[in-house]
Amino acid sequence: MAKPFTYEVTKVCKQSGARLGVLHTPHGDIPTPIYMPVGTQATVKAMTSREMRDIGTKILLANTYHLHLRPGENLVKKAGGLHKFMDWDKPILTDSGGFQVFSLGDLNKISEEGVLFRNHLDGSLLNMTPEVSMQIQQDLGADIAMAFDVCSPYLCDYDKAKENMERTHRWAKRCQAAHTREDQALFGIVQGAFYRDLRAQSVETLGEMDFIGYGIGGLSVGEPKDIMYDILDHIMPMMPKDKPRYLMGVGTADCLVESVVRGVDMFDCVLATRVARNGTALVPEGRLVVRNAKYAEDFSPIEEGCDCYACTHHSRAYIRHLLNVGEITGARLVSIHNLRYLLRLMEQVREAIAQDRLLDFRREFYARFDMRGSFNRGEEQA
């Protein structure tokens, strides 16, 4: 019987060393490098599953923590799993819930057993352990599950970062022991904060555990971009070459391009739809705030040449009007554009790798991209 999950590198860019790949899953093949839109609560905000298919989405991400609280994994399981529940027939990845447990709860008491935290909705006390995270993710039925880890904050001191990393490794073993679904891949998560030796140790330890893929956690937590790139430069040559590499929580255009050059295969981020709700569009120059007054009589599309529904049917002036009168369609149209922009960017990146010209593509990208229009690290997850 064929394995339900295999990963193959199909091309290495002669110019940059970046790679094309395909991750085979029970719900279809995922071309890499890939951007994964975030459907936190079993939906990408303001988008239908049909619209997500129409813009070329290959895989979605959903959140274990939020789905555990509402509607509960038991209900999703009764519905036939997350794919049927949300009408999505392509691959899904669920994160472990760890980031939300640490960032949203008022009380987080970490022990070797797990994390005791306060439900941000009703204040009740809950306990998340590696085994509980695995049980929830298996009941949800995503194609890819993530191990439960401890994410160190930016400016974490060395001893605490080491403690969190070592606990992450022990929890990873418990996740492997608790994970039994053969039709669901389990990824480990590299930690170690911003200390090179800890990151190298984490890559080595988790590599020996032979996960199907590897997340890189603890980046995009508010640090300057050059620090993130330095850590990637250090660890990427050490990462298993026959496994997909997933940089968690990163989704600005410049960071996507830079990280692919460094060898990353998978990305996710909420930024595209979050800023869309405030009337900010992602464009090759960086960002365009559609609700600004200067677009009141601008009858051009958000981005010339973009193939998304918003750009092929509506003008900046119309979308600005919708945003300024509070019509939800305005946020929906900007969301459609922002998601398509990032998906199309990754299509262009894959094409550049195939043509052995990714460094040329990067130069062309920065010829248009204004770093003053980029987003700071805190804006990605804020």
Side-chain angles (χ1 to χ4, degrees):
M1 179 174 150
K3 293 182 179 179
F5 296 91
T6 57
Y7 180 72
E8 57 179 322
V9 176
T10 59
K11 168 77 177 180
V12 176
C13 177
K14 295 177 182 177
Q15 195 179 64
S16 65
R19 70 238 199 113
L20 284 178
V22 180
L23 176 58
H24 303 283
T25 81
H27 284 92
D29 292 345
I30 304 167
T32 62
I34 193 75
Y35 163 71
M36 301 181 287
V38 178
T40 302
Q41 303 190 86
T43 182
V44 177
K45 281 187 169 54
M47 301 288 291
T48 66
S49 293
R50 178 178 177 177
E51 288 169 332
M52 294 306 299
R53 285 188 285 268
D54 288 346
I55 63 173
T57 309
K58 305 300 183 185
I59 175 174
L60 294 178
L61 182 145
N63 182 262
T64 293
Y65 170 87
H66 289 287
L67 292 175
H68 174 57
L69 299 185
R70 296 181 301 189
E73 65 276 10
N74 289 334
L75 186 147
V76 175
K77 186 177 181 179
K78 288 179 182 177
L82 199 51
H83 292 87
K84 289 186 177 180
F85 187 57
M86 61 185 293
D87 183 35
W88 183 251
D89 58 357
K90 297 180 185 296
I92 299 174
L93 181 148
T94 45
D95 62 11
S96 70
F99 182 83
Q100 287 72 30
V101 165
F102 293 108
S103 63
L104 293 179
D106 295 328
L107 169 67
N108 295 314
K109 184 177 180 181
I110 306 172
S111 68
E112 190 61 27
E113 176 63 19
V115 184
L116 182 68
F117 66 99
R118 195 173 296 281
N119 181 338
H120 76 284
L121 297 174
D122 62 14
S124 61
L125 286 175
L126 299 171
N127 192 40
M128 183 74 78
T129 69
E131 291 78 12
V132 170
S133 177
M134 290 299 96
Q135 173 260 310
I136 296 170
Q137 292 186 76
Q138 290 183 105
D139 285 347
L140 293 174
D143 298 86
I144 301 171
M146 301 302 297
F148 192 59
D149 63 327
V150 186
C151 180
S152 294
Y154 179 47
L155 300 179
C156 182
D157 67 71
Y158 184 90
D159 289 342
K160 187 62 177 178
K162 187 172 187 290
E163 176 187 336
N164 289 343
M165 178 199 70
E166 291 174 342
R167 177 163 285 152
T168 291
H169 296 167
R170 293 191 295 272
W171 284 2
K173 293 180 180 178
R174 288 168 56 186
C175 286
Q176 282 189 323
H179 188 265
T180 58
R181 282 194 72 147
E182 294 185 357
D183 63 344
Q184 183 181 71
L186 178 62
F187 282 24
I189 302 178
V190 173
Q191 289 290 351
F194 300 93
Y195 301 99
R196 287 183 165 200
D197 62 323
L198 296 183
R199 287 285 180 173
Q201 182 181 338
S202 189
V203 170
E204 180 180 6
T205 300
L206 292 170
E208 292 172 352
M209 298 176 66
D210 195 27
F211 284 93
I212 289 175
Y214 291 90
I216 303 166
L219 298 179
S220 189
V221 290
E223 79 281 2
K225 293 179 182 180
D226 60 343
I227 293 179
M228 181 182 80
Y229 297 150
D230 178 72
I231 292 297
L232 290 177
D233 285 335
H234 182 63
I235 68 171
M236 293 309 293
M238 309 175 192
M239 297 285 287
K241 291 180 170 50
D242 60 342
K243 304 293 180 70
R245 307 152 177 175
Y246 163 30
L247 181 55
M248 306 174 72
V250 170
T252 61
D254 54 326
C255 289
L256 292 177
V257 172
E258 291 290 345
S259 300
V260 169
V261 168
R262 289 163 169 82
V264 178
D265 305 303
M266 302 170 68
F267 305 88
D268 81 282
C269 190
V270 299
L271 180 104
T273 51
R274 176 164 287 162
V275 301
R277 295 192 295 279
N278 295 321
T280 298
L282 306 180
V283 292
E285 293 73 24
R287 68 171 100 180
L288 185 150
V289 183
V290 189
R291 65 169 63 248
N292 284 355
K294 65 180 179 179
Y295 301 118
E297 297 185 12
D298 188 338
F299 302 111
S300 62
I302 291 175
E303 178 191 344
E304 292 286 355
C306 177
D307 60 3
C308 80
Y309 176 84
C311 289
T312 56
H313 288 76
H314 299 297
S315 68
R316 295 174 180 181
Y318 175 68
I319 295 171
R320 176 186 181 273
H321 157 68
L322 295 178
L323 291 165
N324 285 342
V325 298
E327 286 289 347
I328 193 171
T329 303
R332 278 179 35 76
L333 289 171
V334 183
S335 295
I336 289 169
H337 168 77
N338 285 355
L339 291 165
R340 179 58 190 152
Y341 169 77
L342 292 178
L343 292 167
R344 184 160 42 88
L345 175 67
M346 298 308 287
E347 291 169 3
Q348 293 165 349
V349 164
R350 293 196 296 270
E351 182 178 359
I353 295 173
Q355 296 174 353
D356 293 313
R357 58 178 308 274
L358 184 60
L359 297 185
D360 291 337
F361 177 87
R362 179 170 66 173
R363 283 191 291 271
E364 294 162 2
F365 171 83
Y366 282 117
R368 296 187 66 181
F369 191 84
D370 185 348
M371 290 302 294
R372 292 172 297 179
S374 184
F375 294 84
N376 299 321
R377 303 322 333 264
E379 291 180 274
E380 292 192 4
Q381 293 288 358

